[in-house]
Amino acid sequence: MKTVEDFNFKGKKALIRVDFNVPLNDQLEVTDTTRIEAAKPTIIKVLEDGGSCILMSHLGRPKAKENEFSLRHILSKTAEILGVTVKFAEDCIGSAAEEAAQALQPGEILLLENLRYHDQEQQGDSNFAEQLATLGDVYVNDAFGTAHRAHASTAIIAKFFPENKCFGLLLASEIKNVRKVLEEGKSPVTAIIGGAKVSSKITVIENILAKIDHLIVGGGMAFTFIKAQGGNIGSSLVEEDKQELALEILEKAKAKNVRVHLPIDVITADSFSEFATTDSEPADAIPAGWMGLDAGEKTRQQFADIIAESKTILWNGPVGVFEMEPFAQGTIAIGNAIAKATENGAFSLVGGGDSVAAVKQFGFENNVSYVSTGGGAMLEMLEGKTLPGIQAILE
Ligand code: AMP
């Protein structure tokens, strides 16, 4: 796996695909700088070698060239984070980009305007990719958030750099950390899969079954399993048409000696609201009109015990409606248990969807081994898919 560490960028222009798709507020100010900070190590490595950086990214989903999607809005924040002045090209291809790229000196950074101002980016257009490719000497992909897309700048462009292409440090560490769980995970390996729906996690569960010892199923999706086994789940979230599949997963897990843990008790509510009246009930005996919105106390203890014994932990999806304060305790308990296990030497990876938001919200970010930066991309890696952005560099 070639990374920027394998290149000396002295006198070279690194054309780096970053994921600067950051949230902006109404004043068009950056409200979360995580993604810019995540790209910093790669950029600094190139600059310290004596090279220059041409950064390309998308921002949002522009239909035309709307001002609100201009990467100009993130220019000053990027410069502040990197500690270097950042130049800007009004377009990512054509004379504006070419002239700015040509004038770039070692130690300098150029940010190109939103790639998605051109439809050809998402179409994976080869001519567009070739025009981008003329700007730099080495292609670096550090955009994990879009690595699951076969877009011009994330995958197609790589063919124009047969020898001079590599992974950025962020993308490389995302790959390494997934491998630490799925390929090199020390036993016992535990996966905690939560979230709203079984349907969005089925492929993940099927792919990881061969690699884990314990599967903890929490959150809304647990009720499809519980109902399929004959439990009464009241008006809890359920995917009626996925019950068969839930039973099949349980069979497959059994055949592979994976121990599956479902909630035993749940915090119930009489409506989907933080002001609802709440109670605690066995997970398979929820009265009509009530819904399970969080893991109950016994469940939290049981899940925590399994996590405490684990050497490798993967967490994807909250075990309750953590966005509402009365139903956040289960998710907090999981975070605490993982933090403790990590302190005791376990490797823990949090990634793929809302668990990352939960980890940040409750302050566990620095108490787990690795928090992934890409929701969809991480999910597809856990599903065992080869991501186009990764494949293009490996080819
Ligand atoms: P996902 O994006 O699939 O990881 O799902 C995350 C969402 O699942 C969060 O917004 C949670 O509020 C929601 N969720 C978790 N537990 C439940 C539950 N018991 N009932 C309904 N929604 C839930």
Side-chain angles (χ1 to χ4, degrees):
M1 207 169 75
K2 257 200 212 170
T3 76
V4 284
E5 298 289 7
D6 300 304
F7 284 81
N8 184 343
F9 288 90
K10 191 172 173 24
K12 298 253 190 296
K13 293 185 173 105
L15 180 60
I16 312 177
R17 176 54 158 103
V18 288
D19 179 6
F20 282 179
N21 182 29
V22 293
L24 303 178
N25 63 16
D26 290 346
Q27 280 79 50
L28 300 173
E29 295 156 345
V30 181
T31 55
D32 183 347
T33 56
T34 311
R35 287 177 166 171
I36 303 174
E37 277 154 30
K40 186 171 173 177
T42 296
I43 295 167
I44 297 298
K45 151 71 178 149
V46 172
L47 297 185
E48 282 182 354
D49 274 0
S52 57
C53 296
I54 301 167
L55 308 179
M56 48 181 179
S57 179
H58 75 284
L59 177 64
R61 296 178 174 181
K63 290 197 177 64
K65 295 188 177 173
E66 301 104 319
N67 175 50
E68 65 187 284
F69 297 112
S70 172
L71 277 165
R72 184 181 278 288
H73 306 307
I74 72 155
L75 203 53
S76 60
K77 206 39 146 186
T78 305
E80 187 187 314
I81 290 166
L82 300 177
V84 186
T85 318
V86 180
K87 299 184 170 180
F88 188 69
E90 301 288 342
D91 198 352
C92 61
I93 52 164
S95 58
E98 284 160 18
E99 282 160 26
Q102 256 161 30
L104 206 63
Q105 297 300 310
E108 292 186 336
I109 301 176
L110 170 68
L111 175 65
L112 304 179
E113 182 57 287
N114 197 342
L115 291 159
R116 290 197 189 166
Y117 276 176
H118 296 266
D119 292 339
Q120 296 100 307
E121 162 65 359
Q122 284 176 276
Q123 290 160 357
D125 184 271
S126 191
N127 284 330
F128 177 72
E130 192 169 14
Q131 287 184 71
L132 291 170
T134 58
L135 302 175
D137 304 309
V138 181
Y139 169 65
V140 181
N141 191 354
D142 209 19
F144 180 61
T146 46
H148 57 317
R149 308 279 181 224
H151 294 168
S153 72
T154 60
I156 312 305
I157 191 171
K159 68 181 174 196
F160 299 106
F161 298 89
E163 301 301 324
N164 295 320
K165 57 181 178 178
C166 65
F167 294 108
L169 299 171
L170 170 69
L171 185 41
S173 73
E174 295 277 358
I175 299 169
K176 275 187 214 146
N177 282 298
V178 172
R179 285 186 182 164
K180 272 193 203 168
V181 173
L182 296 187
E183 289 167 30
E184 303 147 16
K186 284 202 198 97
S187 209
V189 182
T190 296
I192 304 127
I193 307 289
K197 292 182 170 178
V198 194
S199 50
S200 63
K201 306 284 167 79
I202 283 164
T203 329
V204 172
I205 295 177
E206 284 180 338
N207 182 49
I208 61 176
L209 274 184
K211 292 140 188 161
I212 60 176
D213 304 291
H214 293 277
L215 173 65
I216 291 177
V217 179
M221 61 186 271
F223 297 108
T224 300
F225 286 85
I226 294 169
K227 183 164 187 194
Q229 290 178 305
N232 292 321
I233 60 161
S235 45
S236 303
L237 198 67
V238 65
E239 287 173 278
E240 300 286 355
D241 60 333
K242 294 292 178 292
Q243 293 184 65
E244 253 331 281
L245 202 62
L247 293 177
E248 274 170 32
I249 289 175
L250 294 176
E251 279 303 312
K252 279 187 193 161
K254 205 167 170 191
K256 290 194 157 74
N257 278 328
V258 177
R259 292 187 52 202
V260 180
H261 310 273
L262 289 160
I264 1 175
D265 60 342
V266 288
I267 303 299
T268 50
D270 60 355
S271 69
F272 190 82
S273 157
E274 61 183 313
F275 306 110
T277 305
T278 63
D279 206 343
S280 176
E281 300 285 353
D284 60 355
I286 302 176
W290 289 70
M291 60 186 83
L293 294 184
D294 196 11
E297 231 166 272
K298 283 188 214 135
T299 303
R300 284 175 229 162
Q301 190 54 52
Q302 190 209 17
F303 288 0
D305 289 346
I306 295 153
I307 291 166
E309 290 166 16
S310 307
K311 292 266 181 302
T312 308
I313 301 157
L314 166 69
W315 185 18
N316 173 298
V319 298
V321 185
F322 73 98
E323 300 94 332
M324 297 183 196
E325 207 260 336
F327 313 112
Q329 290 310 315
T331 300
I332 293 174
I334 295 283
N336 272 326
I338 296 177
K340 215 172 192 183
T342 310
E343 206 181 307
N344 291 332
F347 175 80
S348 54
L349 167 69
V350 183
D354 262 357
S355 35
V356 171
V359 159
K360 286 186 180 171
Q361 185 176 325
F362 303 124
F364 295 118
E365 218 174 342
N366 298 319
N367 305 323
V368 298
S369 309
Y370 193 76
V371 181
S372 173
T373 59
M378 177 51 77
L379 262 191
E380 291 199 15
M381 283 228 270
L382 296 175
E383 286 173 350
K385 290 186 187 149
T386 307
L387 311 192
I390 294 174
Q391 186 61 29
I393 301 282
L394 296 176
E395 265 165 12

